[in-house]
Amino acid sequence: MARAFQKLPLEINQAIAGFIEADSDLVAFAFICRETNNAIDADNCSFWRRRFLGCFTGVVGDTNFDMKDRYKERRSILRKGATFKLGGRMLEKQCLGLIQDLLLEAHGTSSGIINEIGLPVCLNFNVVEKFVLNNDLIYGLFKSSHRLPNDKISKKDGRPHPLLTTIQLMLTPFILSPDHLSTTWSADYSQKAVYESPAKQPVITGRNKDRVNVEWLLHVINFFKGHLTREEETTLFESYSDLTRQELPRMWNEQLDNKPKKLPKSWIGTYTFIERGEEYILRRSEPGDKILVDRCSPEEHGEHLPTMEVEYPEESLEWWPKFFEAQLHSHDIPFTKNKANPTTASSCYQPKPMRFEVTGMDIEGYNGSGYTTPLPPQNDIPGWQRFTMMKYFRDEEGRFDHDAMWAYEGVVFPGAQIIAGRWWAPETGTPEEEIYSGPFIMWNVTDPKSSK
């Protein structure tokens, strides 16, 4: 057999190697003879560039030798995989580090492929999705650690590694995908978490109000996963199943950065609520002691999930009632100093909020006004934004109804494809720990063709 390959030109042996999918088969091919080995490693390692770019998104500036080393390292980590518990063990850390790199490099260069709904295909996302299918990175969400954020826990139980929970949150489109149905673990903990008061579980935390409450948001996603993907819940499954592929939650389509990013135009979402008295009891109960029936939109009001259309006014709007600001604190700008050098001007993070206006359909047509404010990177991942909005209704003559308003605070996930957080009744004088509230989620459904 070796003689046959020895007679072939280098280019033909390289072409043959290009058709070999399994890495183990590629190794066997390289060991046939010197000519097959040269096809892999000679010619300035050009084969490894093609091999790498056939699997992963390219990184500007990488040499062929860089790609060879990165390919081998990545494939080794992916092949080993990991059983995810708290994210602190060696194999877990290796996998999380790789997934983080894949997400940060996603869309760094174009694959040149467009999918069925008109979005660019990202090879890194394909790798991550395959990893998700073969490991329990999201299938085991809250299976090992389900304690609520800020709960006192023993050292034995431990707290999930921040990078684990951050990556899980960024993989929300996979968690909510009908293609990745799995058990919803710790539903009782998630239900209690999403109805907690903002005093106990704020959306944004930290001394400078610039840290995303990732664990709480994960409970929001886990909570809605149960309602959207579990037919047994008899709440949102039917409405969610009726959505087209274009209307399902999706990954982002541009490389992540920390530049201010406008929200896409069209959104679908939902929210849930329980009665005030039920919420009072739930907040004072242990998880599992009181499992209450969530009321959902559209379960209460029709077949279709609520919609939202976002517009950014061309001119600055001065209309922003004091009551809105008193509830939402949209102009409370995060101010983060660089601990290494807190005195320099460049070390301060002072983002500018962007004003938007909303029209949408829920029980009836509604309006909304709000702001998005960039947040600093979370666990070295950029692109997060704070979302604040006052939802209100107008009467038949177009007048503002002061008795029908709902406040929203949430987080725009990196890539501006998903928003999740809390709604509440904006009542003057109500202590923060007694505010009537619940969870919401929205995702981008803008037609890629119309957004160009």
Side-chain angles (χ1 to χ4, degrees), residues 1-234:
M1 179 184 292
R3 289 183 179 180
F5 290 104
Q6 289 170 353
K7 296 178 180 180
L8 294 177
L10 175 68
E11 295 79 9
I12 299 299
N13 279 327
Q14 285 185 334
I16 294 172
F19 285 102
I20 301 175
E21 295 184 1
D23 292 333
S24 57
D25 292 339
L26 186 65
V27 172
F29 177 79
F31 275 109
I32 292 176
C33 62
R34 183 168 59 184
E35 281 69 19
T36 57
N37 183 73
N38 287 341
I40 304 299
D41 286 332
D43 193 27
N44 203 32
C45 280
S46 61
F47 171 83
W48 289 106
R49 172 174 288 273
R50 293 190 294 273
R51 186 78 172 183
F52 183 92
L53 295 179
C55 296
F56 305 105
T57 301
V59 177
V60 177
D62 268 7
T63 67
N64 295 350
F65 298 96
D66 293 332
M67 292 186 180
K68 173 185 176 180
D69 293 340
R70 281 155 60 84
Y71 179 88
K72 290 184 175 182
E73 179 184 19
R74 289 181 173 186
R75 297 295 293 181
S76 174
I77 294 173
L78 291 170
R79 186 168 55 252
K80 294 176 184 176
T83 299
F84 289 90
K85 298 296 184 182
L86 298 176
R89 297 177 300 176
M90 184 182 69
L91 287 179
E92 291 177 277
K93 287 182 177 180
Q94 287 181 344
C95 290
L96 290 175
L98 173 55
I99 299 300
Q100 181 183 27
D101 289 342
L102 292 174
L103 297 179
L104 290 175
E105 294 171 9
H107 292 295
T109 57
S110 173
S111 67
I113 306 171
I114 302 298
N115 67 13
E116 69 274 12
I117 65 172
L119 291 171
V121 171
C122 178
L123 297 178
N124 281 8
F125 290 160
N126 293 344
V127 174
V128 173
E129 184 171 20
K130 186 175 181 180
F131 181 87
V132 164
L133 288 170
N134 295 328
N135 297 270
D136 60 353
L137 178 57
I138 61 173
Y139 293 155
L141 184 62
F142 292 125
K143 182 178 181 180
S144 299
S145 176
H146 50 226
R147 292 293 179 182
L148 306 182
N150 301 330
D151 272 0
K152 293 182 178 180
I153 57 177
S154 66
K155 291 183 178 180
K156 180 180 179 181
D157 291 334
R159 175 71 68 196
H161 193 284
L163 185 57
L164 170 62
T165 53
T166 302
I167 286 177
Q168 288 174 326
L169 192 63
M170 294 181 68
L171 299 183
T172 290
F174 293 150
I175 294 175
L176 300 181
S177 171
D179 298 331
H180 303 300
L181 298 180
S182 61
T183 302
T184 301
W185 301 100
S186 305
D188 50 348
Y189 279 84
S190 291
Q191 185 186 54
K192 178 172 173 57
V194 300
Y195 290 112
E196 286 288 9
S197 71
K200 186 169 184 179
Q201 294 298 339
V203 178
I204 305 295
T205 66
R207 186 175 63 179
N208 296 310
K209 298 299 181 183
D210 60 359
R211 305 306 301 170
V212 173
N213 191 344
V214 172
E215 286 186 54
W216 182 79
L217 284 172
L218 257 185
H219 276 290
V220 173
I221 300 305
N222 193 54
F223 174 82
F224 279 115
K225 173 193 172 187
H227 282 293
L228 294 170
T229 67
R230 280 176 50 83
E231 187 173 7
E232 297 85 349
E233 295 291 340
T234 65

Side-chain angles (χ1 to χ4, degrees), residues 217 279 305 356 374:
L217 284 172
E279 188 167 84
L305 294 166
F356 63 85

Side-chain angles (χ1 to χ4, degrees), residues 103-381:
L103 297 179
L104 290 175
E105 294 171 9
H107 292 295
T109 57
S110 173
S111 67
I113 306 171
I114 302 298
N115 67 13
E116 69 274 12
I117 65 172
L119 291 171
V121 171
C122 178
L123 297 178
N124 281 8
F125 290 160
N126 293 344
V127 174
V128 173
E129 184 171 20
K130 186 175 181 180
F131 181 87
V132 164
L133 288 170
N134 295 328
N135 297 270
D136 60 353
L137 178 57
I138 61 173
Y139 293 155
L141 184 62
F142 292 125
K143 182 178 181 180
S144 299
S145 176
H146 50 226
R147 292 293 179 182
L148 306 182
N150 301 330
D151 272 0
K152 293 182 178 180
I153 57 177
S154 66
K155 291 183 178 180
K156 180 180 179 181
D157 291 334
R159 175 71 68 196
H161 193 284
L163 185 57
L164 170 62
T165 53
T166 302
I167 286 177
Q168 288 174 326
L169 192 63
M170 294 181 68
L171 299 183
T172 290
F174 293 150
I175 294 175
L176 300 181
S177 171
D179 298 331
H180 303 300
L181 298 180
S182 61
T183 302
T184 301
W185 301 100
S186 305
D188 50 348
Y189 279 84
S190 291
Q191 185 186 54
K192 178 172 173 57
V194 300
Y195 290 112
E196 286 288 9
S197 71
K200 186 169 184 179
Q201 294 298 339
V203 178
I204 305 295
T205 66
R207 186 175 63 179
N208 296 310
K209 298 299 181 183
D210 60 359
R211 305 306 301 170
V212 173
N213 191 344
V214 172
E215 286 186 54
W216 182 79
L217 284 172
L218 257 185
H219 276 290
V220 173
I221 300 305
N222 193 54
F223 174 82
F224 279 115
K225 173 193 172 187
H227 282 293
L228 294 170
T229 67
R230 280 176 50 83
E231 187 173 7
E232 297 85 349
E233 295 291 340
T234 65
T235 48
L236 298 171
F237 176 81
E238 186 173 343
S239 296
Y240 194 64
S241 299
D242 288 340
L243 297 179
T244 65
R245 180 68 62 176
Q246 182 174 308
E247 294 171 327
L248 293 171
R250 59 180 79 152
M251 300 292 277
W252 56 93
N253 52 29
E254 295 177 347
Q255 188 169 22
L256 300 180
D257 57 42
N258 224 39
K259 298 176 183 177
K261 188 176 182 65
K262 290 184 177 181
L263 298 176
K265 181 178 178 61
S266 302
W267 297 75
I268 286 177
T270 188
Y271 56 86
T272 68
F273 61 96
I274 53 180
E275 298 298 331
R276 289 176 182 260
E278 294 176 326
E279 188 167 84
Y280 179 89
I281 295 172
L282 182 63
R283 288 176 177 175
R284 288 156 179 79
S285 303
E286 291 297 317
D289 288 351
K290 297 289 182 180
I291 301 296
L292 303 172
V293 177
D294 304 292
R295 293 164 176 81
C296 305
S297 180
E299 177 200 12
E300 296 286 311
H301 313 298
E303 296 180 357
H304 302 292
L305 294 166
T307 63
M308 181 177 77
E309 297 288 313
V310 178
E311 296 285 350
Y312 284 85
E314 294 182 3
E315 298 181 2
S316 178
L317 296 180
E318 295 183 1
W319 182 78
W320 185 249
K322 292 182 179 179
F323 178 73
F324 284 16
E325 183 62 24
Q327 289 288 325
L328 298 170
H329 302 286
S330 298
H331 292 137
D332 287 357
I333 300 176
F335 182 85
T336 303
K337 287 187 175 181
N338 187 328
K339 295 180 180 180
N341 191 5
T343 60
T344 61
S346 61
S347 68
C348 299
Y349 183 85
Q350 292 181 285
K352 182 180 179 181
M354 287 194 294
R355 176 69 177 273
F356 63 85
E357 294 294 306
V358 159
T359 57
M361 181 58 65
D362 189 2
I363 310 171
E364 56 184 297
Y366 70 88
N367 295 85
S369 299
Y371 287 88
T372 52
T373 307
L375 293 166
Q378 311 290 312
N379 294 303
D380 297 322
I381 296 175

